[in-house]
Amino acid sequence: MASPALLLHFDDELPSAQRIAAQAGLTLGRIERHRFPDGELKLRLPASLPAHVVLLRTLDHPNEKLVELLLVARTARELGARHLTLVSPYLAYMRQDIAFQPGEAVSQRIVGKFLAGLFDAVLTVDPHLHRVATLGEAVPVPQAVVLSGAPLLADLVATHRPQALLVGPDEESAQWIAQAAARHGFDHAVCRKVRHGDRSVTIELPCANFTGRAVVLLDDVASSGHTLAQAARLLLAAGATSVDVAVTHALFAGDALQSIHAAGVGQVWSTDCIAHPSNAVSMAPAIAAALADLNNT
């Protein structure tokens, strides 16, 4: 596949698009967006497109953005694009991979097939996959690429907390904890979480000595912040000298960030997959390298 010449973006993601385009040697193409009084969207792409096009759209607050993807992808094909790559650093609707109760929509399967009907390749960072082993199973496109923020966050932690104990707030974080810990030889452990609802969880600390340790809670996503806050309180009560947080996806809904700090968390670091004041690590070089690998396959 020839090198993609154009990176399409929306105005709200211009800084991220600029970073990726600079690293990947892509030309930027702006998507104009207008909202009618009744809420409908009108989008306008560049009048003609090259054969290979990359679309950047991270899917926090995803519902309207999924409509945008439909409109952009279909229009891009009409304007000359033959190969479409979606770069979605945060990929929504991945958590619901089975029906936990009769009648529930399995959103991962539905949204995954929806994206596969629009794009030839999907590139994302740390998708929230549990019972599904690979992104290609969730989003059945010809090319499904997963990057991780864990190694880069580990590098950041190594600089600021070189003797840190890495702790995962729940069993689901074990894969990121292991990856980050191996990079710099950090001690690491994982908590046990029992979820009672969206904002009701119980955390059990692992069997470890936290006394006098600088602890960094590391996870793929922070949303309500309740799990991280509860873990931080328990760690400090168990003797940790400090607790910081490092996450790939800084969703931080509502007062989540304030709740985390109120629980005693010091620093909060995140990647730039979702724009947030806590962003401390850029994924642009890794995304650019992955795009180059896609072009050579």
Side-chain angles (χ1 to χ4, degrees):
M1 186 174 82
S3 178
L6 190 68
L7 174 64
L8 291 175
H9 69 91
F10 289 82
D11 284 340
D12 62 318
E13 291 191 85
L14 176 59
S16 179
Q18 289 173 327
R19 289 191 293 269
I20 294 169
Q23 292 285 332
L26 303 179
T27 300
L28 289 177
R30 175 173 173 260
I31 301 170
E32 297 179 19
R33 184 178 186 274
H34 173 77
R35 185 188 300 277
F36 291 105
D38 61 2
E40 289 187 6
L41 297 173
K42 180 176 75 171
L43 305 181
R44 183 182 179 188
L45 282 61
S48 64
L49 297 177
H52 303 288
V53 173
V54 176
L55 170 64
L56 172 67
R57 201 59 170 149
T58 202
L59 292 176
D60 58 317
H61 303 95
N63 296 346
E64 187 168 274
K65 291 181 179 179
L66 291 173
V67 176
E68 292 174 350
L69 295 187
L70 174 63
L71 298 176
V72 170
R74 296 295 189 222
T75 304
R77 301 285 188 189
E78 294 175 0
L79 294 173
R82 296 199 306 270
H83 187 283
L84 282 174
T85 297
L86 172 65
V87 174
S88 186
Y90 174 68
L91 193 59
Y93 284 113
M94 293 293 105
R95 64 164 61 90
Q96 183 91 13
D97 53 11
I98 61 172
F100 297 96
Q101 300 292 333
E104 286 184 344
V106 183
S107 56
Q108 182 191 93
R109 186 184 309 150
I110 296 166
V111 172
K113 289 181 178 179
F114 169 76
L115 296 176
L118 299 175
F119 298 96
D120 304 291
V122 171
L123 189 159
T124 191
V125 181
D126 289 333
H128 208 67
L129 304 177
H130 301 311
R131 285 154 289 269
V132 172
T134 66
L135 179 63
E137 294 175 63
V139 187
V141 287
Q143 297 168 305
V145 179
V146 171
L147 304 177
S148 180
L152 296 178
L153 290 170
D155 293 346
L156 183 75
V157 172
T159 299
H160 295 279
R161 302 288 186 270
Q163 303 302 317
L165 168 62
L166 297 187
V167 173
D170 53 38
E171 298 93 329
E172 294 169 356
S173 64
Q175 58 182 308
W176 293 283
I177 288 289
Q179 189 177 4
R183 189 169 176 92
H184 291 282
F186 288 119
D187 295 335
H188 60 287
V190 176
C191 299
R192 180 175 179 271
K193 177 174 73 175
V194 178
R195 180 175 291 280
H196 308 289
D198 289 344
R199 293 179 175 269
S200 178
V201 297
T202 301
I203 298 293
E204 296 178 5
L205 292 181
C207 294
N209 182 12
F210 301 105
T211 303
R213 299 299 301 269
V215 176
V216 176
L217 287 163
L218 188 145
D219 206 356
D220 66 319
V221 61
S223 182
S224 71
H226 286 269
T227 299
L228 291 170
Q230 188 175 155
R233 284 191 289 267
L234 291 174
L235 287 163
L236 291 168
T241 57
S242 65
V243 177
D244 301 299
V245 166
V247 297
T248 301
H249 302 299
L251 287 172
F252 292 122
D255 63 351
L257 193 60
Q258 295 92 317
S259 297
I260 291 170
H261 285 305
V265 167
Q267 296 295 316
V268 177
W269 301 298
S270 66
T271 74
D272 61 354
C273 290
I274 298 171
H276 189 268
S278 65
N279 290 168
V281 170
S282 176
M283 292 301 302
I287 290 171
L291 287 172
D293 289 341
L294 273 177
N295 298 341
N296 293 326
T297 58

